[in-house]
Amino acid sequence: MNILIIGIDGASPDLIGRWAAAGRLPNLSRLIDGGAWGPLESTIPPMTSPAWPSFATGRFPAGHGVFDFVSARAGHFNVVNATAIRAPTLWEILSMHGRRVGVINVPVTYPPRPVNGFMLTGLLSPNGAQISYPANLLAPFAERYRVMPTVQYKPGCEHALLADLHDLIDIRTRFAVRLLAQHRPDFAMVHFLATDIAQHALWRFIDPDHPEYTPDNPFRDAVLEVYRHIDAAIGQLLALIDDDTTVLVMSDHGFGPLHGVINLNMLLWQEGLLHIKRDPLTRLRAWMFRRGLTPSTAYRWLERLDMQNLVARVSKSTRNAVFNKFMSFDDIDWSKTVAYSLGHMGQIYINVQGREPQGIVARGTDYERACARVIDALRTLRTPDGRPMLERVVQAHELPAGPYADQGPDLHVVLDGYRYISCPLFAADGHVLSRQIRGDSGSHRQNGLLIAWGPRVRTTVAVAGARIVDLAPTVLYLMGLSIPADMDGRVLDELLIAPSIDPAQRAVDLELPLAERYVMPEEEETEIAMRLKGLGYLG
């Protein structure tokens, strides 16, 4: 094995650094002490769905086309899948060059594509679907493999959630160890999801600075134990490597406290940037929405009856018919609307002519004026203690360019260091300042984790300036392969002892056929959409 990558979803360099130094994570501590480590900058925004394709392709979202868990226009959306990635992935490039690969559980890999080796797809894989390549990969296993946890978090179910996450880690580890030992790929990657889910749900139990923290609570070590379990799994994976294997441990983003949710569409409505239809029925729904007839209220009633999972078994058409009884994007008067928000980390779209189905804002001066009006509205936001909530706005033109740049949001909003995020869809309730419906207390941060270790890695080097897009070219470099010229990432030379290819080969044109677009059947899309809702990523 030449390369082993271990993906720990949402792994925080602050937590790992502290716990490794205290001897609580012996395998990660061994890699840190004998290699190079530090922060790894994620995408903007730092989200699972664009970050993992950015890792896999060496390109930022404008270069591969995935900006969110959904592809969206004017409030309508479809769940993305692997065929939404419009650039060759690391495992496809390696396969083209005859390298054997083994990829386990990486998000946004469903449906599986043929590779020179094997693949088990990850997050966004429907239950019961064909998730492996080759199709008979799991036939020798008596045990059933599962991608996702089965317990949906709500306050009070912490014990059940943790038991489910630990079982998920065990399953992932057993399958990974057996598959890697059996197939002996040149490039191997194993992804663990449990840390992301645990931190979303349980951050308030581990962070003394969180407003909901209580000292000596029974779950103060729960997240640590999830990390310790994955650390033990890493020990089993390290037992499989060769003396010349380079090991990379990385995460797609970091983590920190979540204090609340902003209904950005309510703000835009309040500030006259978003308009509601004037027909009597819509006006009645708007009046009722402002007074409490909202998805948030409905969800809390379902929670009290322990029926929140029932929605996942309802067809998409029936579910839409029910939710459209509340206020929704269908109630927007697009002929007067300048901007709208869709996405859980502050994504705002300008209603641009020629791009949006009913766009009214011309590109150029009108577009710039619209962005300025939105930013002025955002500056009115205040935290409960009166501080300005807006930390920064990143406009689309400030991000790396690419062929798909126009498909993404026009504005990326950072609210109080991501302590506040946005309601992913129209709005959770009729207030601008709200809370996460399912009770999450943790959210993503810009810096994830990178640890590099092996005979070709410099020891005791502090990683600085590394970005998630830098890993694909670095892996290709380590495996003696040339690097596509249109990758946004660079080789992390400062971490390496010696080059493995001639510098002249660092930029080549590469053409690989892209997958035909896969359109999920309605039942698959409904299932994944409800899973994303359950995880807090889609309302």
Side-chain angles (χ1 to χ4, degrees):
M1 190 183 304
N2 300 118
I3 302 283
L4 170 64
I5 300 183
I6 300 166
I8 309 178
D9 208 290
S12 165
D14 295 335
L15 294 182
I16 284 183
R18 183 168 78 241
W19 289 334
R24 309 301 298 274
L25 304 172
N27 291 297
L28 287 168
S29 181
R30 169 190 165 197
L31 298 177
I32 289 171
D33 292 344
W37 84 289
L40 182 70
E41 184 180 343
S42 184
T43 52
I44 295 177
M47 290 174 58
T48 298
S49 45
W52 286 109
S54 289
F55 152 76
T57 64
R59 295 164 176 83
F60 288 110
H64 59 66
V66 176
F67 294 86
D68 203 332
F69 285 104
V70 298
S71 57
R73 275 292 168 264
H76 297 280
F77 64 86
N78 296 102
V79 177
V80 302
N81 59 66
T83 65
I85 303 173
R86 309 312 291 169
T89 60
L90 185 55
W91 28 92
E92 290 170 336
I93 296 171
L94 292 172
S95 294
M96 182 191 75
H97 286 285
R99 305 301 200 272
R100 291 170 295 121
V101 304
V103 181
I104 299 174
N105 210 63
V106 177
V108 203
T109 51
Y110 176 84
R113 290 202 66 193
V115 292
N116 183 33
F118 70 88
M119 173 181 285
L120 280 174
T121 61
L123 180 68
L124 306 185
S125 302
N127 290 323
Q130 177 56 50
I131 64 168
S132 70
Y133 179 86
N136 64 351
L137 179 69
L138 300 180
F141 291 84
E143 180 183 11
R144 183 180 177 184
Y145 183 78
R146 64 185 175 104
V147 172
M148 295 295 298
T150 57
V151 175
Q152 180 175 317
Y153 176 70
K154 66 175 183 177
C157 77
E158 288 83 4
H159 287 293
L161 175 69
L162 287 165
D164 192 44
L165 293 179
H166 284 290
D167 183 59
L168 191 67
I169 296 168
D170 281 334
I171 291 171
R172 185 84 68 252
T173 306
R174 286 196 295 271
F175 276 80
V177 168
R178 182 171 171 183
L179 286 169
L180 296 182
Q182 176 183 345
H183 293 270
R184 305 301 299 179
D186 303 308
F187 168 91
M189 179 160 187
V190 183
H191 171 274
F192 292 94
L193 181 64
T195 37
D196 183 88
I197 295 173
Q199 291 172 127
H200 272 299
L202 306 175
W203 193 271
R204 64 189 175 98
F205 295 108
I206 70 169
D207 183 357
D209 294 327
H210 195 281
E212 299 175 22
Y213 177 79
T214 55
D216 299 322
N217 70 77
F219 302 106
R220 59 188 178 276
D221 292 327
V223 172
L224 168 60
E225 291 307 315
V226 171
Y227 273 89
R228 282 175 56 80
H229 196 164
I230 292 175
D231 184 81
I234 290 172
Q236 294 187 54
L237 296 174
L238 293 179
L240 301 174
I241 67 175
D242 308 314
D243 290 341
D244 62 348
T245 301
T246 299
V247 178
L248 301 176
V249 180
M250 49 83 64
S251 63
D252 52 335
H253 52 73
F255 246 90
L258 172 65
H259 290 181
V261 170
I262 301 299
N263 288 313
L264 286 175
N265 285 314
M266 298 303 295
L267 174 70
L268 297 173
W269 181 6
Q270 174 182 292
E271 297 293 324
L273 292 156
L274 180 150
H275 289 263
I276 300 299
K277 295 173 183 175
R278 301 296 294 170
D279 62 277
L281 181 57
T282 301
R283 293 175 71 180
L284 175 62
R285 277 209 298 266
W287 183 87
M288 297 175 69
F289 192 87
R290 288 185 181 275
R291 285 155 182 80
L293 185 61
T294 67
S296 176
T297 306
Y299 185 86
R300 287 179 191 129
W301 276 107
L302 289 173
E303 268 193 332
R304 291 172 189 173
L305 298 171
D306 202 26
M307 296 172 62
Q308 71 273 15
N309 292 318
L310 177 65
V311 186
R313 297 193 290 272
V314 176
S315 72
K316 183 178 180 181
S317 58
T318 301
R319 174 170 47 83
N320 287 344
V322 171
F323 275 91
N324 284 345
K325 303 301 181 186
F326 305 107
M327 290 294 293
S328 72
F329 286 110
D330 289 340
D331 294 302
I332 292 179
D333 182 349
W334 296 103
S335 69
K336 298 178 180 177
T337 290
V338 172
Y340 66 96
S341 173
L342 199 159
H344 79 284
M345 295 204 76
Q347 300 96 312
I348 294 178
Y349 295 80
I350 303 300
N351 194 22
V352 175
Q353 287 179 359
R355 183 188 72 181
E356 304 290 328
Q358 301 174 62
I360 66 168
V361 179
R363 297 181 189 271
T365 302
D366 288 351
Y367 175 86
E368 293 170 4
R369 187 179 296 119
C371 290
R373 289 182 63 194
V374 172
I375 293 170
D376 285 343
L378 293 167
R379 289 194 177 112
T380 68
L381 292 171
R382 293 291 184 271
T383 62
D385 60 0
R387 293 179 295 108
M389 189 179 290
L390 181 64
E391 183 170 302
R392 63 178 176 138
V393 177
V394 181
Q395 297 187 233
H397 68 80
E398 300 176 75
L399 296 173
Y404 308 103
D406 202 41
Q407 297 179 13
D410 297 283
L411 304 172
H412 298 269
V413 182
V414 182
L415 300 173
D416 197 24
Y418 291 119
R419 292 177 184 85
Y420 292 85
I421 57 175
S422 55
C423 177
L425 299 181
F426 180 77
D429 55 37
H431 306 287
V432 173
L433 177 59
S434 185
R435 73 175 182 90
Q436 216 278 347
I437 290 179
R438 70 176 201 143
D440 279 2
S441 56
S443 188
H444 300 177
R445 294 296 187 270
Q446 196 69 51
N447 283 332
L449 168 80
L450 174 61
I451 304 171
W453 179 92
R456 297 169 61 188
V457 175
R458 296 181 187 274
T459 60
T460 64
V461 171
V463 172
R467 306 166 301 168
I468 198 165
V469 294
D470 296 332
L471 296 187
T474 299
V475 168
L476 293 174
Y477 184 77
L478 285 166
M479 298 193 75
L481 300 176
S482 52
I483 297 158
D486 57 351
M487 280 189 173
D488 294 316
R490 67 178 181 87
V491 176
L492 295 171
D493 291 294
E494 65 272 25
L495 306 185
L496 307 178
I497 291 175
S500 58
I501 60 174
D502 189 295
Q505 294 180 276
R506 290 195 186 200
V508 298
D509 292 325
L510 175 68
E511 291 188 12
L512 275 176
L514 297 176
E516 182 179 347
R517 294 276 191 173
Y518 173 70
V519 178
M520 282 188 171
E522 179 180 325
E523 60 273 16
E524 286 189 2
E525 183 153 11
T526 296
E527 177 191 337
I528 299 304
M530 295 313 301
R531 180 185 298 169
L532 293 173
K533 286 178 181 289
L535 293 172
Y537 293 139
L538 201 59

